[in-house]
Amino acid sequence: GNARLNDARFNSKHLPGMFRIKDPYNPPYINSTPQVTAHDLMPHDKFLIIASDGLWDYISSQDAADYVFKKVKEGSKQSLSDGLLRQALTAAASKANLTLGELLSKSSWERRK
């Protein structure tokens, strides 16, 4: 957590490089301040997608909206959240030059590398 990141003793060679914080250390490294966006719902709004950066890092808001709108229009019984998750995972796998199956076969620690 943040307490470990704030102390240079824990930011050592034992921590994989992608997780190390570069010197000079300028905290805070993690904060709990949420990013909040306000949007007044209008009569023409059909749905609202609430997700974390884990989704938005791999799917644009337009692509997510297009996917949900298409599935709702088709009357799909598939879980929309499962479908969006699958799209995000497929994009993450592609970015790592893996197939979706290869990505899913890795441990959660390996997937974060």
Side-chain angles (χ1 to χ4, degrees):
N2 194 33
R4 286 189 160 284
L5 293 175
N6 283 332
D7 190 324
R9 293 176 298 165
F10 298 111
N11 191 33
S12 69
K13 65 184 177 192
H14 302 291
L15 193 62
M18 68 180 289
F19 297 112
R20 278 189 227 134
I21 297 168
K22 310 257 184 301
D23 192 19
Y25 306 110
N26 295 314
Y29 309 108
I30 299 174
N31 69 56
S32 60
T33 306
Q35 179 182 350
V36 178
T37 303
H39 174 78
D40 292 329
L41 293 178
M42 306 302 284
H44 64 273
D45 290 329
K46 304 293 183 206
F47 50 83
L48 175 68
I49 302 173
I50 300 172
S52 71
D53 60 345
L55 181 77
W56 303 125
D57 284 348
Y58 295 101
I59 300 176
S60 72
S61 56
Q62 187 61 56
D63 287 345
D66 290 346
Y67 172 82
V68 171
F69 186 76
K70 176 184 172 199
K71 292 298 182 181
V72 168
K73 189 175 179 181
E74 292 173 353
S76 175
K77 300 297 183 199
Q78 174 192 1
S79 165
L80 297 173
S81 59
D82 286 348
L84 287 171
L85 173 61
R86 186 166 201 75
Q87 283 195 330
L89 288 171
T90 300
S94 177
K95 185 176 180 180
N97 294 319
L98 299 170
T99 66
L100 179 57
E102 290 169 332
L103 178 70
L104 295 176
S105 71
K106 296 186 174 294
S107 71
S108 60
W109 176 254
E110 290 176 305
R111 280 182 278 189
R112 292 175 187 235
K113 290 182 182 178

